Amino acid sequence: MKSSGSLLDIHKYSVDAFQHLYDKLTDENFKRPYIIKDKPINAVTGIIWDITQGDDELRKIIYKMDEIDGIKAQNSKSGNEKRVETWLKKAYYEHLYRGYSVSRNMLLKFMTTIIKPNGNEGKKKLKYSSTRYFERYNDKFKKRLNRCRKNDRVYELQKKYPELNIADAFAYGQIIDKFNTTNEDLEWFEKLVKILTKEQEEYI
């Protein structure tokens, strides 16, 4: 079976998430035969092996790291959860680009059209699960948007390009998991802006 990802694609976990990992792996109750003094490479490869093989204890540690960073493994999401997340990412584009509201009722209408639930019971279950996913992801995306708009480094970049909506564009990049508010990602984003504005100047 072809894998959908690589270790090179790993999420850029925050300092808090890595601190949780460090605390768990250095706890005296965390015991593994590959953790040997003066042989750190054994521990690194052993831990990676356990994670990729679905070791229950390591999975719980990673789940907590994901919770700290507000993410979730793609292969652990249900079909409906993926649909709601994708719909909301598109809805936030319309919100940021056209000023449209992010509407739960519009999501429920979309989900009902796609799933076509049978009977009132099926509709109730679909409404309940869709609403739960909507609230989870809408809250997550709103927080990303607000954090980005208040971020000092994003603000400095916005001041350099006052004619462009830098803050919301970068926030959308965060919402669709393409950027983080790291110096490296901000530098890459600014390079994109420079290319876009250069092309604009040349063709006007």
Side-chain angles (χ1 to χ4, degrees):
M1 182 174 68
K2 186 177 179 181
S3 175
S4 60
S6 160
L7 283 175
L8 298 175
D9 300 321
I10 193 169
H11 168 73
K12 297 177 183 178
Y13 284 102
S14 65
V15 172
D16 289 340
F18 270 113
Q19 185 64 53
H20 174 75
L21 177 65
Y22 177 82
D23 291 343
K24 289 295 183 181
L25 298 186
T26 55
D27 188 287
E28 61 180 11
N29 294 319
F30 184 83
K31 301 183 185 300
R32 289 293 189 279
Y34 48 70
I35 299 181
I36 305 168
K37 187 178 181 181
D38 300 326
K39 290 187 177 181
I41 192 64
N42 291 35
V44 171
T45 54
I47 288 165
I48 292 174
W49 171 263
D50 280 352
I51 291 173
T52 58
Q53 299 306 304
D55 179 90
D56 285 341
E57 190 173 8
L58 267 298
R59 283 172 69 91
K60 289 178 182 177
I61 294 172
I62 301 302
Y63 285 152
K64 182 60 180 180
M65 292 174 70
D66 290 350
E67 182 182 327
I68 290 169
D69 276 10
I71 64 171
K72 190 172 183 179
Q74 190 67 28
N75 61 9
S76 69
K77 298 175 184 177
S78 68
N80 280 356
E81 183 175 358
K82 291 177 185 177
R83 290 185 187 95
V84 171
E85 182 184 16
T86 300
W87 185 92
L88 268 170
K89 286 178 178 180
K90 293 177 179 177
Y92 266 85
Y93 168 78
E94 296 296 336
H95 171 66
L96 293 171
Y97 183 60
R98 305 181 198 279
Y100 294 166
S101 298
V102 178
S103 167
R104 186 184 65 176
N105 288 336
M106 290 299 293
L107 168 69
L108 294 175
K109 183 177 179 181
F110 167 78
M111 293 295 286
T112 301
T113 301
I114 294 297
I115 305 300
K116 296 181 174 62
N118 294 321
N120 289 331
E121 190 62 29
K123 290 179 181 178
K124 286 181 182 178
K125 288 181 179 179
L126 179 62
K127 181 179 179 180
Y128 173 77
S129 66
S130 298
T131 298
R132 184 160 52 92
Y133 293 138
F134 176 88
E135 290 173 352
R136 177 189 303 171
Y137 284 100
N138 189 44
D139 181 64
K140 174 175 146 182
F141 295 161
K142 278 198 298 186
K143 286 178 178 177
R144 287 185 179 181
L145 180 58
N146 290 334
R147 281 199 301 266
C148 187
R149 286 173 170 171
K150 295 175 182 178
N151 185 277
D152 290 340
R153 288 174 292 183
V154 175
Y155 177 70
E156 289 302 315
L157 189 58
Q158 177 66 77
K159 285 202 302 183
K160 290 176 69 174
Y161 301 93
E163 74 282 6
L164 301 176
N165 191 353
I166 295 292
D168 285 358
F170 193 84
Y172 187 68
Q174 285 193 291
I175 287 170
I176 61 174
D177 301 312
K178 299 301 181 184
F179 292 109
N180 286 309
T181 46
T182 62
N183 287 332
E184 183 182 22
D185 279 3
L186 282 161
E187 286 171 7
W188 282 118
F189 184 78
E190 185 172 10
K191 285 181 171 65
L192 293 175
V193 172
K194 287 179 177 178
I195 291 170
L196 287 169
T197 54
K198 181 176 185 294
E199 290 179 345
Q200 187 181 43
E201 290 166 2
E202 288 180 351
Y203 289 103
I204 287 178

